[in-house]
Amino acid sequence: MRVSVIGCGHLGAPHAAAMAELGHEVIGVELNPETCRILQSGRGAFYEKGLDDLLAKHVPTGRLRFTSNLAEAAEFADLHFIAVGTPLREDGRGYDVDQVVGAVRSLAPLLRRPCTIVGKSTVTVGTVARLQEIVTAEAADGVDLVWNPEFLREGHAVEDSLYPDRIVAGLTSSAAQKAIEEVYAPILARNDVTLIVTDPPTAEVLKSAANAFLATKISYINAMAEVCELVGADVSTVAYGLGIDPRIGHGGMRPGIGYGGGCLPKDTGAFTWRVGDLGATHAHALLQAVEDVNHSRLDAATRLVERAYGAPVDGARIAVLGASFKAGTSDVRNSPALRLAGRLHEAGARAVIYDPESNDAARRLHPEYAYAGDAATALEGAEVVVLATEWPQFTHDAKFPSSAGEVVQRKVLVDVRNAVDSDAWVAAGWEVWQLGRPEQLPKV
Ligand SMILES: NC(=O)c1ccc[n+]([C@@H]2O[C@H](COP(=O)([O-])OP(=O)(O)OC[C@H]3O[C@@H](n4cnc5c(N)ncnc54)[C@H](O)[C@@H]3O)[C@@H](O)[C@H]2O)c1
């Protein structure tokens, strides 16, 4: 099938690459000329696991190409994915959907034959109805609009695009359903994915509800970390014991510094505002509490660093390992890791950041912070090491505690992701401080 993907950022670029991998002929439309140039050179404009491999495979053959010319895509494709951004409005009152409305408004008049527009961006409940009016007024007869929200996890964007657990399609015609079944045919043929065909408002709510539920789980276990700290209990054991219950499950139950990134904070914020605006007072109160807990985690993490250091951190030499909002991506949007580094910097600490993939992105956002080109340089002389992003080279390399221990001034680890095997670090002579857990000190 000939498809276009309009907007080639963190969602669109992996989606375009995955569509090519599924056998479609794909044209990606990206307004940012630099992003478009990098993608057309066969690599990602940011780090996302597995993305470069697919781009290097499909761009040189011409199966996948990138352009900033929307008319070329309108002419070429029979199905157009919309994957442009929907940032939170500056006043916090829901999404700014200008990119989505702008993309559909530009595309619709160019569509002169029957085809399908498939929205993947996350939008406020009610947006699709507004877009449908534009399509009906501006596009030729037989142009259908489907809402097909995306559930991929950054850091696994390529894998999740190729192997989704569900495909949700909010649509109103059998032709639109046929187009969805055709474009996802290689995935649906595997029989391990659920296709949910529904109406557009249900598709819109489903996506927002999914992200809000995940945020709720994360904030719930983080709230329990707060309780554990007050009574000297261990939240890791609490989380493990809770998750055994199949009604609860272990997913999203690792305590830490809170959720971040380009999606969960804005999606939860936008949904919180929208349900309040709709008058759903209990849903609003619940989600507001979820957001409040999340905001409180930066204070909890800062206090933990101060406890581990034994004093206010003014003048302390601190290594911050990680800047991305999570491992597997160079995305630093709303990154709790970078926020914590900023807090320490503002408190007068001599904080040096090292992230294996996002140093450049972090430096662009915060040139005022100090960065190291490798882990050893960041660790050199550190009095506290803050593990801020759970990269496997920090958390799963059995040799890392010993090698890191050779260059630091004090072996004090503050793991705000609760991601390391604390016993292994303690065995290598480190003090380990994690959120919601008693500190673990080496035996003397
Ligand atoms: N990032 C994720 O993991 C993820 C997951 C699920 C859903 N989503 C949703 O997907 C949407 C995109 O998110 P993102 O993280 O990829 O954002 P992003 O900012 O990384 O990417 C958006 C891209 O669209 C481009 N763009 C904007 N208007 C355009 C136009 N008219 N034509 C062509 N290109 C245009 C921008 O230049 C940018 O590169 C959002 O609604 C987000 O909520 C994202």
Side-chain angles (χ1 to χ4, degrees):
M1 207 173 179
R2 289 177 152 202
V3 308
S4 84
V5 178
I6 298 164
C8 293
H10 292 84
L11 162 65
H15 186 72
M19 289 300 110
E21 179 71 3
L22 292 181
H24 299 303
E25 285 183 66
V26 184
I27 184 164
V29 183
E30 172 51 54
L31 273 191
N32 182 315
E34 182 61 4
T35 303
C36 193
R37 187 190 63 74
I38 297 172
L39 287 165
Q40 186 52 32
S41 77
R43 63 196 171 85
F46 50 82
Y47 175 76
E48 176 65 42
K49 204 167 53 182
L51 178 60
D52 281 359
D53 294 342
L54 283 194
L55 292 170
K57 183 173 167 191
H58 294 299
V59 173
T61 67
R63 176 176 288 286
L64 171 60
R65 65 199 155 94
F66 294 91
T67 178
S68 48
N69 185 344
L70 186 62
E72 193 185 334
E75 176 66 28
F76 172 80
D78 297 313
L79 186 147
H80 302 275
F81 288 108
I82 306 287
V84 298
T86 50
L88 199 58
R89 280 168 46 143
E90 269 178 24
D91 60 8
R93 296 161 71 88
Y95 294 108
D96 173 350
V97 291
D98 284 359
Q99 287 182 40
V100 176
V101 173
V104 171
R105 212 181 272 290
S106 309
L107 178 66
L110 302 173
L111 302 176
R112 309 281 18 129
R113 61 187 152 90
C115 63
T116 315
I117 302 173
V118 180
K120 295 201 76 64
S121 304
T122 307
V123 293
T124 314
V125 179
T127 305
V128 181
R130 194 174 150 201
L131 298 174
Q132 183 63 63
E133 285 174 16
I134 299 172
V135 173
T136 305
E138 302 282 338
D141 286 348
V143 175
D144 286 306
L145 177 66
V146 179
W147 218 256
N148 167 221
E150 178 57 56
F151 297 90
L152 66 79
R153 302 160 298 165
E154 271 184 54
H156 302 267
V158 171
E159 183 192 336
D160 289 351
S161 299
L162 290 170
Y163 302 94
D165 47 17
R166 76 209 105 157
I167 294 171
V168 175
L171 47 79
T172 53
S173 79
S174 55
Q177 181 166 346
K178 204 161 155 273
I180 285 290
E181 285 168 357
E182 189 180 344
V183 77
Y184 289 122
I187 294 174
L188 294 169
R190 287 200 303 262
N191 286 326
D192 60 354
V193 59
T194 305
L195 172 64
I196 300 172
V197 175
T198 183
D199 52 79
T202 305
E204 288 170 313
V205 175
L206 204 166
K207 170 63 191 174
S208 295
N211 273 10
F213 189 78
L214 182 56
T216 304
K217 261 188 122 178
I218 295 169
S219 278
Y220 181 81
I221 201 61
N222 282 336
M224 291 307 106
E226 183 187 10
V227 174
C228 286
E229 259 159 43
L230 292 170
V231 299
D234 186 340
V235 73
S236 296
T237 310
V238 171
Y240 176 67
L242 282 174
I244 286 173
D245 186 331
R247 294 169 303 173
I248 298 174
H250 284 117
M253 290 284 271
R254 191 168 66 207
I257 193 176
Y259 54 80
C263 288
L264 270 193
K266 78 164 168 103
D267 290 346
T268 311
F271 198 43
T272 304
W273 178 80
R274 182 70 173 128
V275 297
D277 192 46
L278 288 166
T281 49
H282 297 104
H284 182 261
L286 177 68
L287 295 178
Q288 189 60 61
V290 167
E291 291 205 272
D292 290 347
V293 171
N294 201 54
H295 292 142
S296 75
R297 300 312 289 161
L298 194 55
D299 290 336
T302 308
R303 280 196 305 272
L304 190 68
V305 175
E306 285 171 353
R307 275 174 56 212
Y309 181 61
V313 293
D314 189 10
R317 170 72 176 85
I318 298 180
V320 180
L321 299 180
S324 303
F325 87 92
K326 69 194 276 201
T329 171
S330 59
D331 196 348
V332 294
R333 292 178 291 178
N334 268 315
S335 169
L338 205 47
R339 288 224 168 111
L340 179 58
R343 271 281 182 93
L344 299 172
H345 174 83
E346 278 150 27
R350 291 179 295 133
V352 180
I353 302 166
Y354 167 69
D355 187 289
E357 298 294 345
S358 69
N359 266 8
D360 290 345
R363 194 182 280 115
R364 275 196 297 277
L365 203 59
H366 286 292
E368 70 278 23
Y369 302 164
Y371 299 88
D374 53 51
T377 309
L379 291 163
E380 187 81 51
E383 295 164 278
V384 177
V385 176
V386 176
L387 196 140
T389 308
E390 71 287 18
W391 287 100
Q393 48 269 64
F394 306 141
T395 58
H396 284 80
D397 177 354
K399 295 188 189 130
F400 190 64
S402 317
S403 59
E406 283 168 21
V407 285
V408 295
Q409 199 183 130
R410 286 177 60 201
K411 290 187 187 177
V412 177
L413 176 73
V414 181
D415 171 16
V416 296
R417 299 286 184 160
N418 290 27
V420 305
D421 172 358
S422 51
D423 290 346
W425 283 72
V426 170
W430 289 78
E431 289 179 20
V432 178
W433 299 72
Q434 293 172 314
L435 289 159
R437 302 191 74 194
E439 63 270 28
Q440 294 164 78
L441 309 177
K443 297 206 171 32
V444 279

